[in-house]
Amino acid sequence: MVETGIDNGVASGAIRASTPTHTIHLMSEKATLTYKDASIDLPVIVGSENEHGVDIAKLRDQTGLITYDDGFGNTGSCTSDITFIDGEAGILRYRGYSIEELSEKSTFVEVAWLLIHGNLPTRTELRKFSDTLTEYQVLHEAMKHHFEGFPSNAHPMAILSSMINASGCFTRELTGPYDPAKFKRHSARLLSQVRTLAAFAYRKSLGLPIVYPKPEYKYTANFLHMMFSMPYDDVKLQPEAVAALDQILLLHADHEQNCSTSTVRMVASGRANIFASAAAGVCALWGPLHGGANQAVLEMLAHIRHEGDDGTKFLKSVKEKEGGKRLMGFGHRVYKNYDPRAKILKANCDKLLARLKKSDPLLDIALKLEETALKDPYFLERKLYPNVDFYSGIIMRALGIPTEMFTVMFAIGRMPGWIANFKEVMDDPTSRIYRPRQIYTGPTIREYLPIEDR
Ligand code: ACO
């Protein structure tokens, strides 16, 4: 039998330095684990928002036991200074700044700097960062040939992940060991080029000529320009549309140890370079239970409309778990309350459609689904609320971004968070390769049978 008893006291003030920048406090209280006839004390650490964790690093050495936590639902894989989430209260902060305040007052590029470098930039830092992003936005001309090799119906997430790695090949110094002195340049190159790669992937999927970025445009405006202009005719950029997309990118910029960010940290822990780590993040983001949910939400809403349903029939089939159906854009591993990003997007959805003089029947279906689900015991008991993906797709649709590109937009937005987490792993002198354990459940030793005897 295993028992643990954690005495939740106040932090003792003892400090264990983890990296030059972040510290964890060691509690004077211990968690006690009793197994068979022996009891061992396990250290309890506490973070800056008073979250407590039992440090089990020495557990196996001392008892032969490992911990088991399928899906890592209750496992802290690292300490981090970047993003704080309180899922019960619906709080999200980047480097201590609330998502509500940042989404109202800041921009994606400013937030990217904040996440990567830890503080809001000064005017000079921001200008230099912006100039560096402009400097790196053009891809090596040879990269164009790589796009030719994909079938025209290739998913843009497949193209994006491959092209990020391919683009890394054009920076030879990346293949050497991590060099903090070069990090600023490499990370700016990656952040700048991801949107060029994404726009080129889109143009390729439509068989349209590639449009080069314009140095006079800022980050998000340039992306829309590369997506929608023609070599002979520039798209007229509406400031509302640029601001709405910029806000979507900002809201996606980081979200602590989710599936893709943990993947980036995992790959980085083996000391792979920043482009390889980010390409792995793109692959991890792709699935419908993670970043692919924004595409799945729109497909779900379109399906409901196509069936002539107002959402009632669909919700019934979700509750009956028909074919494993889920209400996409609902539920979250961490949020057991309204996702604060969904709240911001919902409030802006209506306003944006009005400003762009557009209406969308899918928004009506989404609002009805949300209203019904939030009164239904199935969703209430399981604490399932709208997540960021529930409304982001409707906004992106209004901006003319095709459904297949939604997850790519998420990847562009999440890049600062991936880069910040990559840096945290690389800068931590105590960081080790990520290597979880397992409980083996396969056959015990078997004797090899020659093929004629099987
Ligand atoms: N619709 C219907 N039921 C759901 C949903 C949903 N969206 N989400 C969870 N449930 C149910 C499960 O069926 C389960 O029910 P049970 O207790 O009767 O078995 C219960 O709620 C718990 O679900 P889990 O799968 O254990 O929750 P988990 O934390 O593992 O999953 C996840 C979280 C993947 C986000 C899940 O809620 C989901 O699939 N949501 C839909 C996809 C989605 O929107 N993903 C985007 C997440 S945000 C992001 O990555 C940006």
Side-chain angles (χ1 to χ4, degrees):
M1 191 185 76
V2 181
E3 288 171 4
T4 57
I6 300 171
D7 181 1
N8 275 350
V10 197
S12 69
I15 289 174
R16 176 204 286 177
S18 168
T19 73
T21 54
H22 62 175
T23 49
I24 44 180
H25 293 264
L26 208 53
M27 304 286 289
S28 52
E29 296 80 9
K30 307 263 186 233
T32 308
L33 186 142
T34 309
Y35 180 62
K36 296 187 177 162
D37 294 333
S39 278
I40 65 154
D41 284 341
L42 297 164
V44 175
I45 59 169
V46 62
S48 53
E49 288 284 350
N50 209 27
E51 288 172 302
H52 291 62
V54 181
D55 179 348
I56 50 108
K58 299 271 181 287
L59 182 65
R60 189 166 178 276
D61 285 351
Q62 293 177 2
T63 64
L65 291 169
I66 64 164
T67 55
Y68 172 66
D69 179 19
D70 190 18
F72 308 132
N74 197 37
T75 294
S77 61
C78 60
T79 58
S80 177
D81 288 356
I82 304 167
T83 288
F84 171 68
I85 300 176
D86 180 336
E88 274 70 32
I91 290 173
L92 169 62
R93 294 187 203 128
Y94 297 158
R95 301 280 188 186
Y97 297 97
S98 83
I99 194 68
E100 290 79 8
E101 197 175 11
L102 288 172
S103 72
E104 193 193 322
K105 299 179 182 164
S106 189
T107 62
F108 175 63
V109 167
E110 186 178 61
V111 159
W113 176 279
L114 168 70
L115 285 166
I116 297 169
H117 299 291
N119 288 303
L120 285 169
T122 61
R123 205 181 286 279
T124 313
E125 283 169 336
L126 186 59
R127 188 179 38 73
K128 274 196 190 153
F129 186 44
S130 201
D131 289 350
T132 315
L133 293 176
T134 304
E135 184 190 331
Y136 285 131
Q137 64 194 350
V138 180
L139 303 178
H140 191 288
E141 198 60 11
M143 282 289 290
K144 278 207 301 197
H145 303 300
H146 292 270
F147 284 96
E148 298 308 319
F150 288 97
S152 59
N153 60 355
H155 195 285
M157 284 296 272
I159 303 182
L160 186 67
S161 60
S162 320
M163 287 295 120
I164 287 176
N165 246 328
S167 168
C169 302
F170 290 88
T171 312
R172 280 298 303 253
E173 58 188 23
L174 270 177
T175 47
Y178 171 71
D179 180 351
K182 292 177 182 155
F183 168 79
K184 245 188 200 170
R185 210 167 59 238
H186 292 163
S187 57
R189 181 188 287 269
L190 175 59
L191 183 63
S192 180
Q193 293 194 346
V194 65
R195 92 206 124 139
T196 313
L197 293 168
F200 282 19
Y202 170 66
R203 306 287 296 195
K204 160 73 195 148
S205 72
L206 294 184
L208 291 172
I210 277 166
V211 173
Y212 289 96
K214 280 191 168 200
E216 63 267 35
Y217 285 154
K218 298 270 184 235
Y219 191 93
T220 306
N222 231 334
F223 172 72
L224 287 169
H225 161 70
M226 288 189 279
M227 286 277 288
F228 299 121
S229 286
M230 282 296 176
Y232 49 83
D233 186 18
D234 279 0
V235 69
K236 195 171 171 331
L237 293 171
Q238 291 173 282
E240 298 86 356
V242 177
L245 184 59
D246 198 78
Q247 189 189 57
I248 287 186
L249 297 179
L250 182 157
L251 291 173
H252 285 85
D254 195 40
H255 213 236
E256 55 122 295
Q257 301 314 312
N258 52 79
C259 173
S260 54
T261 304
S262 299
T263 300
V264 169
R265 285 187 86 113
M266 169 82 76
V267 177
S269 79
R271 297 295 180 269
N273 71 59
I274 192 170
F275 279 65
S277 302
V282 172
C283 293
L285 185 72
W286 190 356
L289 297 189
H290 190 16
N294 52 16
Q295 177 174 341
V297 169
L298 249 279
E299 286 163 357
M300 172 188 77
L301 295 174
H303 170 78
I304 292 172
R305 182 160 183 253
H306 181 255
E307 296 287 294
D309 178 16
D310 66 349
T312 316
K313 264 199 314 200
F314 181 80
L315 279 183
K316 187 167 172 288
S317 62
V318 165
K319 289 192 290 177
E320 286 165 5
K321 300 190 191 281
E322 209 178 84
K325 219 179 264 182
R326 289 194 166 193
L327 177 54
M328 301 310 285
F330 255 67
H332 199 279
R333 174 61 64 77
V334 179
Y335 292 119
K336 300 302 165 200
N337 201 325
Y338 218 110
D339 178 337
R341 303 165 299 173
K343 231 183 238 175
I344 296 167
L345 287 173
K346 183 184 176 187
N348 289 346
C349 209
D350 251 349
K351 277 192 239 157
L352 178 75
L353 291 179
R355 266 190 250 131
L356 297 179
K357 299 193 178 46
K358 287 190 177 174
S359 66
D360 191 342
L362 298 193
L363 176 61
D364 300 335
I365 297 174
L367 289 168
K368 171 89 194 305
L369 278 176
E370 181 193 327
E371 192 192 340
T372 315
L374 293 183
K375 284 185 205 141
D376 191 304
Y378 175 95
F379 294 92
L380 292 174
E381 281 159 16
R382 290 170 179 77
K383 299 192 175 151
L384 300 171
Y385 293 85
N387 61 48
V388 66
D389 296 314
F390 199 64
Y391 288 105
S392 64
I394 292 169
I395 297 184
M396 288 195 272
R397 201 166 113 102
L399 301 178
I401 292 167
T403 315
E404 270 211 340
M405 283 293 286
F406 286 3
T407 315
V408 170
M409 304 314 299
F410 193 154
I412 299 173
R414 185 51 56 87
M415 194 54 79
W418 289 339
I419 292 171
N421 276 274
F422 172 89
K423 182 174 192 295
E424 210 168 59
V425 171
M426 291 302 191
D427 286 347
D428 182 351
T430 67
S431 103
R432 301 197 299 163
I433 190 164
Y434 283 24
R435 202 321 186 169
R437 288 187 177 268
Q438 63 165 17
I439 302 284
Y440 174 68
T441 54
T444 52
I445 189 154
R446 297 200 277 185
E447 203 172 315
Y448 180 85
L449 278 183
I451 197 157
E452 56 277 12
D453 298 340
R454 285 173 215 159

